[in-house]
Coordinates of all heavy atoms in Angstrom, one line a residue:
E104 N -52.2 11.8 3.2 CA -52.9 10.9 2.3 C -52.7 9.4 2.7 O -52.5 8.5 2.0 CB -52.4 11.1 0.8 CG -52.7 12.4 0.3 CD -52.3 12.6 -1.2 OE1 -51.9 11.6 -1.8 OE2 -52.4 13.7 -1.7
N105 N -52.8 9.2 4.1 CA -52.6 7.9 4.7 C -51.2 7.3 4.4 O -51.0 6.1 4.3 CB -53.7 7.0 4.3 CG -55.1 7.4 4.7 OD1 -55.2 7.9 5.9 ND2 -56.1 7.3 3.9
N106 N -50.2 8.2 4.2 CA -48.9 7.7 3.9 C -48.3 7.0 5.1 O -48.4 7.5 6.2 CB -48.0 8.9 3.5 CG -48.6 9.8 2.5 OD1 -49.5 10.5 2.8 ND2 -48.1 9.9 1.3
S107 N -47.6 5.9 4.9 CA -47.0 5.1 5.9 C -46.2 4.0 5.4 O -46.2 3.8 4.1 CB -48.1 4.5 6.8 OG -48.6 3.3 6.3
P108 N -45.4 3.4 6.2 CA -44.6 2.3 5.7 C -45.4 1.1 5.0 O -44.9 0.4 4.2 CB -43.8 1.8 6.9 CG -43.7 2.9 7.8 CD -45.0 3.7 7.6
A109 N -46.7 1.1 5.4 CA -47.6 0.0 4.8 C -48.4 0.6 3.7 O -49.5 0.0 3.4 CB -48.4 -0.6 5.9
G110 N -48.0 1.8 3.2 CA -48.8 2.4 2.1 C -47.9 3.2 1.2 O -46.8 2.8 0.9
S111 N -48.4 4.4 0.9 CA -47.6 5.2 0.0 C -46.4 5.9 0.8 O -46.5 6.1 2.0 CB -48.4 6.3 -0.6 OG -49.3 5.8 -1.6
A112 N -45.4 6.3 0.0 CA -44.2 6.9 0.6 C -44.6 8.4 1.1 O -45.5 9.0 0.6 CB -43.1 7.0 -0.4
K113 N -43.8 8.9 2.0 CA -44.0 10.2 2.5 C -43.7 11.2 1.3 O -42.7 11.0 0.6 CB -43.0 10.5 3.6 CG -43.1 11.9 4.2 CD -42.3 11.9 5.6 CE -40.9 11.4 5.5 NZ -40.2 11.5 6.7
L114 N -44.5 12.1 1.1 CA -44.4 13.0 -0.1 C -43.3 14.1 0.2 O -43.3 14.7 1.2 CB -45.6 13.8 -0.4 CG -46.6 13.1 -1.3 CD1 -47.9 14.0 -1.5 CD2 -46.0 12.9 -2.7
P115 N -42.3 14.2 -0.7 CA -41.3 15.3 -0.6 C -41.8 16.7 -0.9 O -43.0 16.8 -1.1 CB -40.2 14.8 -1.6 CG -41.0 14.2 -2.7 CD -42.2 13.5 -2.0
K116 N -40.9 17.6 -1.0 CA -41.3 19.0 -1.3 C -42.1 19.0 -2.6 O -41.7 18.4 -3.6 CB -40.0 19.8 -1.4 CG -40.2 21.3 -1.9 CD -38.9 22.0 -2.0 CE -38.0 21.4 -3.1 NZ -36.8 22.2 -3.3
Q117 N -43.2 19.8 -2.6 CA -44.0 20.0 -3.8 C -43.9 21.4 -4.3 O -44.2 22.3 -3.6 CB -45.4 19.6 -3.5 CG -45.6 18.2 -2.9 CD -45.4 17.1 -3.9 OE1 -46.2 17.0 -4.9 NE2 -44.3 16.4 -3.8
K118 N -43.3 21.6 -5.5 CA -43.0 23.0 -6.0 C -44.3 23.8 -6.2 O -44.2 25.0 -6.2 CB -42.2 22.9 -7.3 CG -42.9 22.4 -8.5 CD -42.0 22.3 -9.7 CE -42.7 21.7 -10.9 NZ -41.8 21.5 -12.1
H119 N -45.4 23.1 -6.5 CA -46.7 23.9 -6.7 C -47.4 24.2 -5.4 O -48.5 24.8 -5.4 CB -47.6 23.1 -7.6 CG -47.1 23.0 -9.0 ND1 -46.8 24.1 -9.8 CD2 -46.8 21.9 -9.8 CE1 -46.4 23.7 -11.0 NE2 -46.4 22.3 -11.0
A120 N -46.8 23.8 -4.3 CA -47.4 24.2 -2.9 C -46.6 25.4 -2.4 O -45.4 25.3 -2.1 CB -47.3 23.0 -2.0
F121 N -47.3 26.5 -2.3 CA -46.6 27.7 -1.8 C -47.6 28.7 -1.3 O -48.8 28.7 -1.6 CB -45.7 28.3 -2.8 CG -46.4 28.8 -4.1 CD1 -47.0 30.0 -4.1 CD2 -46.4 28.0 -5.2 CE1 -47.6 30.4 -5.3 CE2 -47.0 28.4 -6.4 CZ -47.7 29.6 -6.4

Side-chain angles (χ1 to χ4, degrees):
E104 297 183 6
N105 297 318
N106 312 69
S107 83
S111 291
K113 183 166 56 178
L114 272 177
K116 176 181 68 176
Q117 303 290 291
K118 69 183 178 185
H119 293 302
F121 60 83

